[in-house]
Amino acid sequence: MSLRARGLVGAAGGPFELDVAPGDAVAITGPSGAGKSVLLRMIADLDPHEGSVSLGGTDCAAMSGPEWRKRVAYLAAEPGWWHDMAAPHFPNRAEAEAMMPELGLAPALLDQPIHRLSTGERLRLALIRTLLNHPSVLLLDEPTGPLDPEATKRVETLLRERQTKGTALVVVTHDAALADRLGAKKMHLEDGFLTPR
């Protein structure tokens, strides 16, 4: 389903206009502190904003917050965890384990305390946690920032597979090559303005 934002205004600036069709990607660049993460959080209805965001013609305001964020899923650069162990974050362990090899992760990681996992392991596990909800749109904040080249390749392969199945991507990144590999439309956020690149 298409994501559409109109007149979006908040702490990141604006008004912002954004359209992402199913299977397409938009990559947002900009200097640190420009509000790129805040923009993603506004789209996810996590930060205060004015204006409208809709998915497949249904306005965000017509859905509950949890339902919207299941369909328009935000993955932070430093994902949150609310249990000490990894496994309780995955209601369907078998489904999670089935995805882990694609991202170079051993299923035994689910039996580890979160604080013992590396930053890259936590990020990839959080991506799996997000994908298990089968979102229509993925809002990704530096999804490969802390990853080594092999893990980056695996994440990009998985994201491209999701694109072929119709998932739309909005990616905040400092990596222009990542945007190219995802075939993303490039936009730049600076001084409160979002402009094509």
Side-chain angles (χ1 to χ4, degrees):
M1 287 186 276
S2 296
L3 179 76
R4 179 183 175 101
R6 289 293 179 271
L8 203 59
V9 177
F16 301 119
E17 313 286 317
L18 190 64
D19 289 280
V20 194
D24 283 353
V26 171
I28 300 174
T29 61
S32 296
K36 303 181 298 296
S37 300
V38 174
L39 175 57
L40 292 189
R41 290 178 58 83
M42 288 162 55
I43 295 170
D45 198 30
L46 288 165
D47 278 15
H49 62 273
E50 298 175 6
S52 66
V53 186
S54 62
L55 178 66
T58 300
D59 196 271
C60 169
M63 295 187 204
S64 69
E67 180 62 24
W68 176 260
R69 286 183 285 277
K70 183 177 178 182
R71 298 185 185 191
V72 181
Y74 169 64
L75 181 61
E78 296 182 12
W81 303 92
W82 48 93
H83 297 289
D84 292 336
M85 303 294 289
H89 296 91
F90 299 89
N92 187 330
R93 179 172 178 141
E95 197 173 358
E97 287 185 353
M99 290 183 66
M100 290 175 73
E102 291 183 70
L103 293 178
L105 298 172
L109 287 179
L110 292 179
D111 297 313
Q112 293 293 317
I114 291 294
H115 73 270
R116 288 198 178 176
L117 303 178
S118 72
T119 302
E121 288 170 339
R122 290 196 302 269
L123 183 61
R124 283 175 284 165
L125 279 177
L127 177 59
I128 290 171
R129 184 179 70 192
T130 302
L131 291 174
L132 290 179
N133 285 325
H134 307 290
S136 298
V137 180
L138 282 171
L139 307 173
L140 305 169
D141 195 349
E142 296 288 354
T144 59
L147 302 182
D148 62 39
E150 176 60 26
T152 294
K153 182 178 178 181
R154 287 176 178 272
V155 167
E156 290 178 8
T157 297
L158 182 58
L159 293 178
R160 287 196 300 270
E161 288 174 0
R162 293 296 166 138
Q163 283 181 272
T164 63
K165 295 176 181 177
T167 303
L169 308 178
V170 182
V171 184
V172 162
T173 183
H174 291 288
D175 184 357
L178 168 64
D180 290 336
R181 291 191 295 268
L182 293 176
K185 174 184 176 182
K186 296 175 186 175
M187 304 195 78
H188 187 78
L189 177 59
E190 192 165 2
D191 297 328
F193 296 98
L194 187 64
T195 54
R197 273 292 163 101

